[in-house]
Structures are given as C-alpha cells and as structure tokens.
Amino acid sequence: MPKYKLIANKFSLGKLGLKEYFGPVIASSDAFFLVIRMSEAAALAGSLGGVLGSVLVNTASKFIPGKRSTMEIDLCDLPIEITSDPDWPQIQLDGRVIIIPRSVIVSTHYPWWGALRIETSERRFNITPSFFYRGGVVKFLREHGWHV
C-alpha cells in the first residue's frame, strides 16, 4: 500500500468554494497536502485573512505529524523524508503547500456526487478528484484510516 497518493488536481476553500485553485492534492495517513502554484499563492493569502491567514502564512514552520494547526510553507521546505519517499508523487518543488495534519481535521465527508470535504475548526477545504477516479481515492483513504 503506497504511503502517499495524488488524489486530485484542484481544490477550493470555504463553504461555497467560490475560488478554485489548481494544483496537486496529495493524501497520506498523517495529512493532506494541497499544492498552490506561485501565481495563485498571493491571491490565496489575500483571500484567507483573519485568524486562518495568520496560521497558514507561517513560512518558518516545518511539517510535524501531530502538529495542532494547519500551515502553509514553501513546497521546497517539505522535509526530505517526505519528498524523497518513493511514493511521493513526482511534482515540481516550487510553489506553496497547505498542510492539513490529521490532528486538526474535525470531519471528512465524500458523497458520491460531489467533492471530498475536509473541515477543521477554522476552515473547510473542498477537494475535487475526477469522478471516474473516486473509487481509487475512497479505497486509498479508507486503507489509511480516514472515515469517508
């Protein structure tokens, strides 16, 4: 069973998900990694604002399993243990990545007709895998202990 899996290529933020971001979304048993292209990173930081903006725009933090907050770092700052893993998808290491550790996730929901919804106490993330890829995503997530 692979440790990491590319599950989608776009996501949105908030309950309405009005703004979509296009970039790889990678899942593991410990976290979700939402990659933001550099051109969209500034727009994302501006749209978040408030408490979550201050939590996400934390370039000094490193991903630590069990960390108690969502964070955003440069993709090239992900620990080498993650990016050198043979299961880590081969993606360019430029841009930003939102890391949603398992410890901050309040709920996950993946209806058969829509997006995978991940909720933290501060924000909702809507991840949109291809409809035809849904079965593989559900299988991977369940094998890694996610309730979807």
Side-chain angles (χ1 to χ4, degrees), residues 46-130:
S47 70
L48 292 174
V51 175
L52 186 65
S54 65
V55 171
L56 286 179
V57 183
N58 180 2
T59 57
S61 63
K62 296 282 187 188
F63 172 66
I64 302 167
K67 187 164 174 75
R68 305 298 301 174
S69 64
T70 303
M71 69 196 89
E72 178 185 333
I73 62 172
D74 285 327
L75 192 53
C76 63
D77 288 337
L78 278 173
I80 193 76
E81 300 82 33
I82 293 175
T83 58
S84 66
D85 189 287
D87 293 331
W88 182 258
Q90 298 301 310
I91 59 173
Q92 284 188 314
L93 292 178
D94 63 341
R96 308 277 298 160
V97 60
I98 297 172
I99 304 168
I100 312 169
R102 184 181 207 112
S103 59
V104 304
I105 296 174
V106 175
S107 69
T108 56
H109 182 67
Y110 195 10
W112 68 269
W113 67 90
L116 168 62
R117 185 176 64 230
I118 298 172
E119 292 190 45
T120 69
S121 61
E122 296 143 347
R123 181 64 77 182
R124 177 186 289 179
F125 300 87
N126 299 300
I127 298 169
T128 314
S130 164

Side-chain angles (χ1 to χ4, degrees), residues 7-10 110 114 127-137:
I7 63 167
N9 285 304
K10 69 179 179 176
Y110 195 10
I127 298 169
T128 314
S130 164
F131 180 77
F132 298 107
Y133 195 50
R134 184 185 188 285
V137 170

Side-chain angles (χ1 to χ4, degrees), residues 4-56:
Y4 300 98
K5 184 174 182 75
L6 176 68
I7 63 167
N9 285 304
K10 69 179 179 176
F11 64 95
S12 61
L13 302 172
K15 291 185 179 190
L16 298 177
L18 298 176
K19 173 69 174 149
E20 286 189 324
Y21 296 90
F22 294 90
V25 176
I26 301 158
S28 75
S29 59
D30 297 324
F32 288 89
F33 302 85
L34 289 67
V35 179
I36 310 161
R37 292 183 188 153
M38 285 306 291
S39 61
E40 294 185 330
L44 175 64
S47 70
L48 292 174
V51 175
L52 186 65
S54 65
V55 171
L56 286 179

